[in-house]
Structures are given as C-alpha cells and as structure tokens.
Amino acid sequence: MGLLLTHYFNLFDFVMQKLVNGLVIVCVCCMLSLGAKAQDESQTFKNFQFSFSRVTQAWTKYNDSLSKIFEKQGVSYPPKDIYLRAFKAHNEMELWARNNAHSEYKLIKTYHICALSGILGPKRNEGDRQVPEGCYFIEDFNPRSDFYLSMLLNYPNYSDQILSAKKPGGDIYIHGGCVTIGCMPMTDDVIQELYVICLNAKLGGETYIPVHVYPVRFNKTGLNFLGTQYGNDSLKQAFWVNLKTGYDYFEATHKLLPVMYTPEGKYIFSN
C-alpha cells in the first residue's frame, strides 16, 4: 500500500511539474508575442510618419541640434520621458525631460506660443474659442495637418466632460501656422522641432506624453493677478486651486504625480 501511495504521489508531482512548465512556456510565448506585436505597431507608426516629407525634413533639420541641447542639460537623446507645460498668460510652453522614471525632470527649452484665443479659464463649451486648462496627453500625431504639423490633445478628459456643457468641443492641437481658435499654435519652425522631440519620445516607448496647461505660473505674481482679475469668479478660483496642487508638487520635486479624478470631475494628484 505504501509503495502504491508513493507511486501515486510521484505521478502527481510529475503531472503538476509538467503543467507548471507548460504554463511557463505559454506565458513566455504570450509575452514574446505581445512584445513582437508592440514592436510591429511601433515600426508601422514610424514608417507612416516618415512617409511624409514634412516629417523627414523636420527630422533632418533638427534632430542633430536637439541632441546637443539635451546633452547640455545632461539628458540622453532621443528622449525616453518628456513633459510639456504651458502657461496661457505668458504664451509659453516648457519642455522638460528626464532619463528614467526615478530621476527629476530637467528644463530643456521654453517655446513661444505665438497666438492664443479666449481668456484665462478652462474650456467649457464647443465654439467658445477657449484654450483648455488642465492635465492632458498627446493622443495623436498628424503629419499632414492643415497647419503644417500637429499633435492632438486628449481634450475633453474626464474632468472636462463632467464640468462642461453637453458639448465641450474637441480637436485641440499643438500645431504650426501661428493662427488659432482654441489651440496652441507655434511657428512652423517651432512645431517642426517640437514634433521631432515628441515623435522621438513616442518611438522610444512613451505612450502618453503629458501636457499640462495652466492659466499662469502659480507664483506670487501669478496668484495676485488671478485674484485681481478673477477674484469674483468662484468657479474659476476653485478650479485653479485644484490645479495648483499638481503644479506645486512639480515645482517642489520636479516629478509628476499620477492624475486621477473624483466623480465630480476634480483632479486628484496622488501616489
């Protein structure tokens, strides 16, 4: 009886080991398959982008000089992790970058936004000519834009959908052409440079390039301005206080917190 039990236990161990080995092989195969699929998609995206002369010309014109700019700031190029931060009242967009998820972002360059429509405050209605304010990411790259080159933001995000009217609008881009009715336009030269940087980051694996849009820098001067000009607008004041939480954390640490939302559409900046 003892020999028979020992035989059954040995057989059970053998079967279980085979099952475990089989599961490991299946998991490894799945991982390899997913990795290959992602690589194929990245190559397809790259081939599509570089099939347009505007992209290849921008790459040829700016890629080498950008490498030197990043090197000067101690950040590797092509970049793996970048962050764009815009300030409407200053007509400025900052480019930040870092080498890995554990290091601090470094300011690489500040670009001039050559035109803005609307006033300070978030976009809440389709056709209001407002430039959105809040936390977004680059959703798409358009190499055949009517405004030379353009990058689409994921507006409206969840917060915008909750806090806006029934039709919050859409199609908010960073683009060339230097004209706007609610986007963030650059000169064609500037959009070429930004497009190359962001395209490099995308090809390097940064799926969601963050773009945060603020009314002002939330320093003493900016806060005084908002208090003077919009002190009676309680909705905007509450919205800006909410945004300032993420702004303050980045100013103190040069790192970004994950962005989430409450059911009421408020931003949550939290680990």
Side-chain angles (χ1 to χ4, degrees):
M1 184 69 178
L3 290 174
L4 183 60
L5 286 174
T6 300
H7 172 73
Y8 281 135
F9 281 131
N10 289 339
L11 180 61
F12 177 78
D13 288 342
F14 175 78
V15 172
M16 288 303 295
Q17 186 62 49
K18 288 294 183 181
L19 286 172
V20 169
N21 290 341
L23 286 173
V24 169
I25 292 172
V26 169
C27 289
V28 170
C29 289
C30 287
M31 291 174 65
L32 291 174
S33 177
L34 289 172
K37 182 179 179 181
Q39 189 174 15
D40 288 344
E41 289 176 351
S42 178
Q43 188 61 47
T44 299
F45 172 75
K46 181 178 181 179
N47 291 342
F48 174 76
Q49 289 291 321
F50 281 91
S51 68
F52 294 89
S53 60
R54 292 178 184 180
V55 177
T56 56
Q57 288 168 6
W59 186 281
T60 301
K61 184 176 180 180
Y62 287 105
N63 201 50
D64 289 343
S65 60
L66 284 169
S67 178
K68 295 174 183 177
I69 293 172
F70 274 73
E71 181 182 353
K72 186 177 180 180
Q73 298 300 328
V75 181
S76 60
Y77 189 87
K80 296 286 194 266
D81 192 338
I82 64 173
Y83 163 51
L84 298 176
R85 190 169 71 154
F87 300 96
K88 289 165 54 173
H90 309 284
N91 284 68
E92 289 181 346
M93 179 175 287
E94 297 174 345
L95 167 67
W96 296 75
R98 62 181 179 177
N99 287 322
N100 56 65
H102 304 291
S103 58
E104 296 181 6
Y105 285 95
K106 294 183 179 180
L107 180 61
I108 305 299
K109 191 171 181 178
T110 301
Y111 296 95
H112 178 64
I113 302 172
C114 62
L116 284 173
S117 62
I119 60 176
L120 298 187
K123 181 176 180 63
R124 291 291 179 249
N125 295 284
E126 185 177 34
D128 61 8
R129 302 176 66 89
Q130 282 290 100
V131 177
E133 293 175 11
C135 302
Y136 305 98
F137 59 82
I138 293 176
E139 191 170 62
D140 195 19
F141 291 76
N142 185 3
R144 48 189 172 192
S145 170
D146 291 337
F147 303 97
Y148 201 76
L149 295 167
S150 63
M151 297 177 290
L152 177 68
L153 301 187
N154 69 316
Y155 174 89
N157 62 22
Y158 180 80
S159 175
D160 299 315
Q161 293 175 43
I162 296 299
L163 298 177
S164 297
K166 292 183 179 179
K167 292 185 177 180
D171 293 332
I172 303 299
Y173 289 87
I174 303 168
H175 61 68
C178 207
V179 292
T180 185
I181 51 171
C183 296
M184 288 181 283
M186 313 287 179
T187 64
D188 288 349
D189 284 339
V190 170
I191 195 59
Q192 285 183 81
E193 186 169 307
L194 266 177
Y195 198 93
V196 169
I197 294 166
C198 294
L199 185 59
N200 265 321
K202 171 82 170 177
L203 293 172
E206 189 174 9
T207 306
Y208 302 105
I209 299 171
V211 181
H212 293 179
V213 185
Y214 296 105
V216 296
R217 289 183 172 84
F218 288 127
N219 52 27
K220 184 177 180 180
T221 302
L223 293 173
N224 286 341
F225 176 80
L226 294 180
T228 300
Q229 299 296 319
Y230 299 92
N232 296 325
D233 194 328
S234 60
L235 288 179
K236 285 184 179 180
Q237 290 292 335
F239 177 75
W240 290 331
V241 167
N242 184 210
L243 275 188
K244 187 174 180 293
T245 305
Y247 173 92
D248 287 345
Y249 182 85
F250 184 81
E251 285 294 293
T253 65
H254 286 173
K255 292 184 178 181
L256 292 172
L257 287 171
V259 178
M260 296 174 286
Y261 312 91
T262 69
E264 297 76 31
K266 289 183 64 176
Y267 287 102
I268 301 174
F269 302 94
S270 174
N271 287 318

